[in-house]
Amino acid sequence: MEICSLERWNRLCRRMGLAADAATYSDLVVAHAEKHRAYHTLDHIAACLRHLDEVRDQTERPDEIEMALWFHDAIYKPLSGTNEEDSADWAADWLAKRGAEDAVISRIVTHILNTKSHGTPESLDGQFMLDIDLSILGTPKHVYDQFEKDVRFEYRRVPKFIFRKKRAEILSGFLERNRIYATEYFYEKLETQARKNLLQAIEMLQR
């Protein structure tokens, strides 16, 4: 997958003043290929990076967003309540060992942790990070339908009636917002389709 290539990873590291690290790149690739994953895979990272490339010139620190995207689902266990914290810890430890500034580490960690609640961050870069992570909600119907199937696979150990109830609550929470997407770019591009997808998904879950 060219967009998730080692070359791109190394370029990111160099731009941030970090030594290229093929071993960590390999670890991230392996992590995203775990058998229990269906949506939270390297395909998701690739989609996120494509969106970032579209808005890079609108962000303040695009490389920090890119690094956060690489790590934000690095640790993913469907029934764990600390995936984001564990992923942020991995990123922070790796960055610190390579001499990244504390402020840089803090911003990247915050980007990752914000993906837990999906609230609206104060910073513009934080808003772009979350809008990118939530871009799947506004994809064409057939892509979104596969997303729901993939999520169900990841939570296949959860009984059907419990999954349906909890999933409908999560999706309804997005619909109850005034805006799903905080940035104008993603709001204009994806908001309408996202609301259509969510309404349909909730209807299917409640049948």
Side-chain angles (χ1 to χ4, degrees):
M1 191 177 300
E2 185 175 350
I3 197 166
C4 291
S5 67
L6 174 60
E7 181 182 358
R8 178 171 179 140
W9 166 261
N10 285 339
R11 288 199 305 268
L12 172 63
C13 290
R14 287 194 294 269
R15 289 197 304 270
M16 296 187 68
L18 308 171
D21 185 356
T24 296
Y25 169 81
S26 179
D27 289 342
L28 288 167
V29 170
V30 169
H32 286 88
E34 292 169 329
K35 291 183 179 179
H36 62 268
R37 299 180 186 233
Y39 171 68
H40 294 89
T41 65
L42 211 61
D43 286 338
H44 171 52
I45 303 302
C48 288
L49 293 179
R50 290 188 186 98
H51 281 298
L52 175 61
D53 288 346
E54 293 172 358
V55 299
R56 183 173 286 271
D57 61 349
Q58 300 182 45
T59 64
E60 297 174 350
R61 299 179 178 90
D63 290 338
E64 292 179 10
I65 298 175
E66 183 166 345
M67 189 61 74
L69 288 171
W70 269 106
F71 277 97
H72 80 288
D73 288 324
I75 305 296
Y76 183 73
K77 300 175 183 177
L79 300 182
S80 171
T82 61
N83 287 321
E84 292 82 5
E85 291 87 348
D86 295 339
S87 297
D89 286 346
W90 183 1
D93 181 65
W94 181 79
L95 288 163
K97 288 179 178 177
R98 276 144 191 83
E101 296 179 0
D102 289 345
V104 173
I105 297 173
S106 178
R107 287 190 294 267
I108 291 172
V109 165
T110 297
H111 287 333
I112 296 170
L113 294 179
N114 282 340
T115 64
K116 183 165 190 172
S117 66
H118 287 110
T120 303
E122 293 183 5
S123 73
L124 179 63
D125 280 359
Q127 292 173 15
F128 271 113
M129 172 76 182
L130 288 198
D131 281 1
I132 289 170
D133 190 34
L134 293 176
S135 60
I136 186 66
L137 301 182
T139 51
K141 181 180 180 302
H142 71 281
V143 178
Y144 182 86
D145 288 347
Q146 185 60 52
F147 162 62
E148 287 294 335
K149 292 177 182 176
D150 290 342
V151 171
R152 181 62 182 123
F153 174 84
E154 292 180 342
Y155 286 86
R156 59 194 178 280
R157 295 183 180 179
V158 178
K160 185 176 180 179
F161 75 97
I162 295 177
F163 176 82
R164 283 175 171 263
K165 181 176 183 295
K166 294 295 183 181
R167 185 67 180 162
E169 289 175 357
I170 291 171
L171 300 185
S172 295
F174 287 116
L175 274 182
E176 289 167 2
R177 300 181 181 187
N178 290 330
R179 293 171 60 135
I180 296 171
Y181 298 102
T183 64
E184 289 303 318
Y185 177 87
F186 285 101
Y187 178 80
E188 293 176 4
K189 184 176 182 179
L190 302 178
E191 184 84 13
T192 299
Q193 184 61 40
R195 290 188 175 276
K196 290 179 181 178
N197 288 336
L198 291 169
L199 283 169
Q200 178 194 14
I202 293 168
E203 181 182 345
M204 293 294 291
L205 289 164
Q206 293 175 340
R207 285 183 180 177

